[in-house]
Amino acid sequence: MTATVHVVGAGVAGLSCAVRLARAGRRVAVHEAAGQAGGRCRSFHDATLDRLIDNGNHLLMSGNRAVRGYLEDIGSADSLIGPVPAEYPFLDLQSGLRWVVRPNAGPFPWWIFSAGRRVPDTRAWDYLRGLRLAWAGRETTVAACLGTDEALFRRFWEPLTVAVLNTSAADGAASLMWPMIAQTFGRGEAACRPLVARRGLSDSFIDPALAFLDRNACPSRFNHRLRSLRFESDRVAGLDFGGDPVAVAPGDCVVLAVPPAGAAALVPGIVAPATSRAIVNGHFRLATRREDLGFLGLVGGTCQWLFVRGDIASVTVSAADALADQPSAAIAGRFWADVTRALGLGDAPLPPHRIVKEKRATFAQTPEEVARRPGTRTAWRNLYLAGDWTDTGLPATIEGAVRSGRAAADAVLATLSFA
Ligand SMILES: Cc1cc2nc3c(=O)[nH]c(=O)nc-3n(C[C@H](O)[C@H](O)[C@H](O)COP(=O)(O)OP(=O)(O)OC[C@H]3O[C@@H](n4cnc5c(N)ncnc54)[C@H](O)[C@@H]3O)c2cc1C
């Protein structure tokens, strides 16, 4: 009998795992608790704005190789767009100063020697301090590693850390920053182009994966929440979806691609990150379309990033636990003040908007929590873990989620090849 691999959770990790298994000719069944796939990376139609919006702005980089491989597998490789050559425009909302970081081609970063390509009020040798990240100990935070007393920290390292780790530089694990830097900025312009989904996250990452699975006769079931696992000796023998038990035959495997709290509740003895950080996004419908701007880094205000697609301006604040506790109306007012300054809209009144609070956007990527990331394999021989919170060596991002899904698929395939 052909083995079935049950993938529980249809976020990017679960879908990338399922796609890799399906490509290897395996029979896969996907089980998702929500009514739709995508998890923390999805689009939805917002009635107030009457537009399709993403749950949160997601910025990727051209050096995200696993992401590119995944998109090629599902046929949506051309769905990400961004400036060529790479450039990162910034605005200091306090001083009004604007600048653009422009990395150069090739691995030697001569852009740091060019005043017009680097951050204002910084010197070339300030950037060399970034090399300390390569040797950062597991207990070190980004702030402790790099020091906080330079313009480069306030205008580059702090915003970059908060964007990548969803954790402040004071708390964020330095050990997670180097792999990201090495795979993007460390490989030159072609690897650090900022990318966004042209038509939205679901259009790039989710819908084509579901269609691929469908074409390969791999069913996806929604509103199908896994309630418990039945263990027998050293393996999982059954899945309970709440009055809907599914037998797991001796050759079958299970990949749990759910968030850390869910995995810890389902699997006895799992050590997983236990704390999280919020991300708050605000989406505003502008009076006119703005095709002139893709995204803008913001410092010195409330918002950290501004993205414009057509007539929707969206802003993001990461590591936003304190902000997320405020009423949405107050958040909207603060965000709109930054948006009007950034876009030169004067005192334009607050337009139709939507505030999205993702209170558990990622795990808190502190040294203590990073030490709690589990690997792909578990104590049960047919049970595997995937998710951006597992020990990928990378920050909790789409790239990390895809890598975790692919690692789980490879582990399953290795097990099945010996069966
Ligand atoms: C607002 C926001 C902004 C972000 N910005 C960026 C960015 O700019 N760049 C970037 O690379 N990353 C970003 N991320 C992170 C990125 O979205 C995540 O790393 C990625 O989506 C995680 O995917 P995942 O599959 O590991 O987890 P999830 O997306 O959480 O998927 C888990 C799935 O499991 C399902 N599930 C849970 N319990 C059960 C159960 N018992 N039974 C069945 N199903 C279950 C859930 O419904 C969910 O669909 C952002 C995240 C957020 C929230």
Side-chain angles (χ1 to χ4, degrees), residues 376-396:
T376 304
R377 291 177 186 273
T378 68
W380 288 272
R381 66 180 160 81
N382 64 342
L383 178 64
Y384 305 84
L385 300 175
D388 63 353
W389 55 279
T390 58
D391 190 10
T392 59
L394 294 176

Side-chain angles (χ1 to χ4, degrees), residues 227-286:
R227 306 281 171 184
S228 63
L229 296 143
R230 184 165 58 79
F231 298 100
E232 245 176 46
S233 127
D234 65 345
R235 70 178 198 90
V236 177
L239 304 173
D240 181 7
F241 291 93
D244 181 16
V246 172
V248 177
D252 293 353
C253 293
V254 178
V255 176
L256 213 48
V258 304
L266 287 163
V267 183
I270 277 199
V271 175
T275 56
S276 53
R277 292 282 189 271
I279 298 180
V280 180
N281 274 260
H283 307 273
F284 299 86
R285 201 175 75 204
L286 304 174

Side-chain angles (χ1 to χ4, degrees), residues 90-98 154 280-284 286 290 293 295-308 313-318 323 326 329-351 355:
F90 279 89
L91 165 65
D92 186 326
L93 287 159
Q94 276 171 12
S95 65
L97 186 68
R98 288 180 188 264
R154 193 175 82 85
V280 180
N281 274 260
H283 307 273
F284 299 86
L286 304 174
R290 297 284 302 250
L293 194 112
F295 80 99
L296 181 65
L298 300 171
V299 298
T302 303
C303 302
Q304 295 159 351
W305 298 94
L306 165 65
F307 296 77
V308 179
S314 302
V315 288
T316 298
V317 181
S318 300
L323 186 70
Q326 293 187 16
I331 296 174
R334 289 178 63 179
F335 281 3
W336 184 240
D338 284 0
V339 173
T340 51
R341 254 183 292 165
L343 296 181
L345 298 177
D347 55 1
L350 187 63
I355 301 298

Side-chain angles (χ1 to χ4, degrees), residues 125-288:
W125 52 88
D126 296 340
Y127 293 76
L128 299 180
R129 216 181 251 205
L131 292 172
R132 291 184 190 174
L133 290 168
W135 292 279
R138 286 169 178 270
E139 310 77 27
T140 314
T141 63
V142 175
C145 181
L146 299 179
T148 59
D149 53 347
E150 290 169 348
L152 188 62
F153 180 80
R154 193 175 82 85
R155 291 178 174 164
F156 186 76
W157 289 117
E158 171 77 22
L160 189 68
T161 303
V162 170
V164 172
L165 300 186
N166 189 25
T167 305
S168 69
D171 295 336
S175 63
L176 288 186
M177 287 299 282
W178 184 252
M180 176 266 163
I181 299 279
Q183 289 165 30
T184 54
F185 286 97
R187 290 175 39 229
E189 182 277 324
C192 57
R193 293 177 189 154
L195 299 170
V196 295
R198 187 202 311 261
R199 281 183 295 269
L201 294 172
S202 293
D203 178 75
S204 288
F205 293 97
I206 310 303
D207 298 343
L210 293 175
F212 176 89
L213 292 172
D214 205 38
R215 284 197 302 277
N216 285 273
C218 300
S220 303
R221 291 188 66 176
F222 298 102
N223 300 306
H224 210 224
R225 175 179 290 278
L226 180 65
R227 306 281 171 184
S228 63
L229 296 143
R230 184 165 58 79
F231 298 100
E232 245 176 46
S233 127
D234 65 345
R235 70 178 198 90
V236 177
L239 304 173
D240 181 7
F241 291 93
D244 181 16
V246 172
V248 177
D252 293 353
C253 293
V254 178
V255 176
L256 213 48
V258 304
L266 287 163
V267 183
I270 277 199
V271 175
T275 56
S276 53
R277 292 282 189 271
I279 298 180
V280 180
N281 274 260
H283 307 273
F284 299 86
R285 201 175 75 204
L286 304 174
T288 52

